[in-house]
Amino acid sequence: MSKTIEGLHYSEDHEWVKVEGGTALIGITDFAQSSLGDITYADLPEAGDEVEAGEEFGALESVKASSELLSPVSGKVTEVNADLENAPEKINEDPYGTWIIKVELSDPSQVESLMDAAAYEEFTNK
Amino acid sequence: MEENLKVTCLHDKHVALGAKMSPFAGFDMPIQYTSITEEHNAVRNKVGMFDVSHMGEVFISGTDSTKFVNHIFTNDVNSIQQGQILYGMMLYPDGGTVDDLLVYKEFQPDHYLLVVNAANIDKDYQWILDNAKGYDVEIVNDSQNWGQLAIQGPDAEAVVEKVTGLAVSELTFYTFNDFVVDGKRIIISRTGYTGEDGFEIYANPDLIRKYWDEFIDAGVTPCGLGCRDTLRFEAGLPLYGDELSKDISPVVAGYSMFCKLDKEEFIGKDAIAKQKTEGAPMKLVGIELKDRAVPRAGYPVLLADGTEVGHVTTGYHSITLDKSLCYALVKRECGALGNVLYVQIRKKVFEGTVVKKRFYQSNYKK
C-alpha cells in the first residue's frame, strides 16, 4: 500500500505538488517510485526553462525502464534539485521529502484541479 | 492477469512472496521480488535462484538423431561427448535465427535434449517436426512435464550440494549429470545466463517446488526476470527477440563462432558462409556512453553529423559496472571497436564509444 501525505496536490500522472507562496515544489508519489523501482538517473530541465501543465519536463530512469515526468502545473523553473544528479535514489528513499523541481506558478488556479490525498488514493486503487 | 497466460509450477510461490508479476513469453512471471538491484547483486556476490520452468524441453532420439540434430543446429554435436552441452542456433535457410538453444548430449546413445526459449516452444517444435522428414527420429516436446531452477552465483556449488545432497562439484562448465531423486530422473547442468558460475536443475514439478522452498530456507535470494536480463546483458549474452531474431543472424549479432562451417551441412549454412565472406550489412556492437543517461531499446544511434546508422537493442545503466551501456544494431562500417557513435535519448544526444559486448568478465568454472 503506497503512502500519501495530506496537504499535497496530486496529478493523474503521479506527481505531487506542494505550494509555498507562488512557488510549486514538484515530486513523484510513493506509488510512482514504487512502480518505477530503483531510480538510477534523473533527466531534468534547467533553471529558467518554462514548463507547461501536462507537458514533459524530464524523465526518470529506473533499472528496467524510463518514465517521462509530466508537469502538473505551468510556469518557470526556478530551481532544480541538484542532489538528484548524483543521488537519484533519494526519490525512492523519500519520495515526498525529495522535490525534483521548483516552479514559479504562472496560473496558481491550476493547483485547484489536482487531487487531494484522499482522491489520489482512490485513483490509485482503481 | 491477462487472459490465457500460462503459469509455471511455482506461480503460487511467487505470488505468496509478493513478487511483481508480468507477462513474459506467454507466462505470468515474476519480474522482481524486492528490487532488481538487490537481486542482481545477490547473484554477482552470493547466490540467487530463478524460476525458469517456462523454458522448453524437446527430446530427440533415434538412429538418425545425431545426423538430424546436426542438420537443424549450427554447432557440431560430433565435437562433444555424452554429458556435455553445446550452445548454438537453429536457422532459417536465409541465415535468420529460429531460436538460440542448448543441446545436451545424453548418456543414452543417440539421445539429445534441446532446451529452447519459452516464447519459441511451439514455433521451434513445429520447425523441428517440419525438418525431420526422411530422418529416423522420435521428437517429444516434454516442456509441460519439466520444471527448471537456475541457481546462480559464486556460492551456487555449495548450496546446490547442500540442498540436493548430490555430487555436483565435479561438473565443469557446460557439462551435466543425470540423477534419480524419489524414483524420478533429474538433470543438473553447470550452465546459466548470468555470467556467473551456477547450475540449472531440470526436474518434475513436485521436486522443483520442494527444492524451491529448500533453497529459500538455505538463504538463496529469489530472483526475477528483471535481473535475469541485467545480468545476461552485462555478460554479453543475447536475448532472442532483441539480439537474435528472424531478421538478425548469428553473423550480424557476432555469434558466428557457434556456427560450424566445417560441418557437412546445416540449415542456413550457405547463407552464414556467404555473410561471413561478404560481410553482413549490419553488426551488433556494444556502446559505452560517457553520461549516466540510459539508452533503451529502439533509440536511434547516430554519427556526429546526425546521420542515423542504427538503433539500440538492449540498454541499461549497468548495476555491476555503474556505466550506461547498450547493444546496438548499426551499419557494419560504423561498428569498429573504438569508434565514436551517439545515442539519441529523448531530446538529447549522448556520445559513446564502441566497446566489446562482453561488458562484464564472466566467472565460469572451466
Side-chain angles (χ1 to χ4, degrees):
Chain A
M1 184 65 199
S2 31
K3 282 179 288 198
T4 55
I5 289 191
E6 292 297 330
L8 301 182
H9 307 273
Y10 298 85
S11 77
E12 291 190 357
D13 304 308
H14 308 288
E15 272 101 20
W16 56 259
V17 173
K18 183 180 183 187
V19 179
E20 290 181 348
T23 299
L25 282 69
I26 298 171
I28 66 165
T29 65
D30 188 41
F31 178 87
Q33 72 77 20
S34 156
S35 320
L36 259 175
D38 304 323
I39 295 167
T40 59
Y41 178 78
D43 181 0
L44 300 176
E46 289 175 8
D49 287 357
E50 292 285 339
V51 297
E52 283 286 325
E55 298 289 310
E56 181 185 341
F57 71 85
L60 295 177
E61 300 274 6
S62 69
V63 174
K64 65 185 170 197
S66 72
S67 175
E68 291 176 352
L69 288 164
L70 301 176
S71 184
V73 293
S74 304
K76 186 194 274 187
V77 178
T78 56
E79 212 179 327
V80 175
N81 188 343
D83 290 349
L84 298 179
E85 190 177 338
N86 292 315
E89 66 276 11
K90 283 191 170 182
I91 296 171
N92 292 118
E93 291 158 6
D94 184 10
Y96 296 111
T98 312
W99 58 273
I100 298 171
I101 55 170
K102 290 185 183 178
V103 172
E104 192 178 285
L105 290 165
S106 62
D107 177 4
S109 74
Q110 281 177 339
V111 174
E112 308 299 320
S113 59
L114 299 172
M115 291 174 272
D116 63 12
Y120 179 68
E121 272 180 28
E122 197 175 321
F123 175 72
T124 53
N125 286 334
K126 260 184 207 167
Chain B
M1 202 169 96
E2 270 180 38
E3 276 180 58
N4 302 324
L5 274 184
K6 291 180 273 189
V7 294
T8 72
C9 58
L10 294 167
H11 185 267
D12 60 321
K13 296 190 185 288
H14 304 318
V15 173
L17 282 168
K20 244 176 221 178
M21 305 295 291
S22 182
F24 177 84
F27 288 79
D28 191 42
M29 295 297 286
I31 300 305
Q32 64 180 65
Y33 299 86
T34 57
S35 110
I36 293 176
T37 307
E38 281 176 27
E39 292 163 24
H40 178 108
N41 288 333
V43 171
R44 286 276 179 262
N45 302 322
K46 293 170 82 178
V47 56
M49 167 167 62
F50 300 84
D51 174 16
V52 282
S53 302
H54 57 317
M55 301 289 284
E57 290 83 12
V58 178
F59 291 85
I60 297 179
S61 58
T63 320
D64 290 338
S65 60
T66 299
K67 196 177 162 201
F68 175 63
V69 173
N70 256 349
H71 172 57
I72 56 172
F73 185 56
T74 58
N75 216 324
D76 186 358
V77 293
N78 282 319
S79 71
I80 56 167
Q81 308 293 319
Q82 291 169 347
Q84 291 185 307
I85 303 160
L86 279 179
Y87 172 75
M89 297 85 188
M90 294 193 291
L91 301 179
Y92 296 105
D94 70 357
T97 311
V98 178
D99 202 1
D100 63 334
L101 64 154
L102 294 180
V103 171
Y104 288 60
K105 191 170 201 168
E106 300 217 58
F107 293 98
Q108 226 178 322
D110 300 324
H111 280 62
Y112 294 88
L113 162 61
L114 278 55
V115 180
V116 304
N117 282 303
N120 295 336
I121 294 172
D122 295 342
K123 177 185 79 174
D124 288 359
Y125 180 55
Q126 194 57 51
W127 177 257
I128 294 166
L129 289 181
D130 288 349
N131 285 286
K133 291 182 185 78
Y135 290 89
D136 181 9
V137 285
E138 188 188 354
I139 300 159
V140 179
N141 173 11
D142 206 26
S143 305
Q144 293 202 346
N145 295 319
W146 292 83
Q148 188 189 347
L149 295 179
I151 311 296
Q152 303 280 302
D155 296 346
E157 181 182 293
V159 80
V160 170
E161 293 227 307
K162 184 179 157 205
V163 165
T164 65
L166 301 170
V168 298
S169 62
E170 61 209 44
L171 293 173
T172 53
F173 193 51
Y174 269 62
T175 66
F176 70 99
N177 213 339
D178 284 353
F179 303 92
V180 175
V181 177
D182 301 335
K184 288 177 180 163
R185 178 190 178 197
I186 79 165
I187 302 164
I188 302 182
S189 59
R190 199 156 202 148
T191 47
Y193 191 49
T194 60
E196 296 301 328
D197 184 24
F199 297 85
E200 291 177 303
I201 302 173
Y202 302 79
N204 59 84
D206 289 341
L207 186 62
I208 289 290
R209 289 173 62 81
K210 178 168 168 271
Y211 278 162
W212 174 272
D213 291 341
E214 291 176 1
F215 279 114
I216 298 266
D217 290 345
V220 177
T221 304
C223 293
L225 295 185
C227 79
R228 188 167 159 83
D229 202 52
T230 57
L231 289 159
R232 69 92 189 167
F233 168 74
E234 289 180 347
L237 304 170
L239 174 64
Y240 187 87
D242 290 347
E243 284 79 33
L244 289 168
S245 72
K246 171 173 76 62
D247 302 313
I248 307 175
S249 76
V251 176
V252 170
Y255 301 104
S256 63
M257 62 282 222
F258 301 107
C259 303
K260 299 303 178 194
L261 295 176
D262 54 356
K263 270 203 316 190
E264 194 180 328
E265 65 91 31
F266 61 87
I267 301 172
K269 181 184 172 187
D270 293 348
I272 294 300
K274 187 159 178 261
Q275 285 181 15
K276 280 191 88 163
T277 315
E278 296 176 6
M282 302 296 276
K283 179 183 179 184
L284 188 77
V285 297
I287 300 177
E288 178 179 333
L289 295 192
K290 284 184 169 177
D291 198 270
R292 290 183 66 87
V294 188
R296 301 287 181 188
Y299 287 3
V301 176
L302 314 170
L303 297 178
D305 66 4
T307 313
E308 189 169 333
V309 292
H311 66 271
V312 173
T313 61
T314 304
Y316 284 108
H317 189 84
S318 159
I319 295 168
T320 304
L321 304 167
D322 192 22
K323 290 173 184 169
S324 284
L325 300 166
C326 67
Y327 301 146
L329 205 51
V330 301
K331 289 186 177 163
R332 178 165 46 98
E333 59 272 23
C334 307
L337 285 180
N339 267 11
V340 172
L341 290 173
Y342 299 80
V343 180
Q344 186 175 340
I345 299 177
R346 292 177 291 277
K347 290 166 192 162
K348 298 176 198 162
V349 171
F350 294 91
E351 183 183 328
T353 307
V354 176
V355 296
K356 286 186 180 166
K357 291 196 295 287
R358 188 175 291 187
F359 304 121
Y360 172 77
Q361 204 48 52
S362 310
N363 295 308
Y364 302 131
K365 183 178 169 185
K366 294 292 175 188

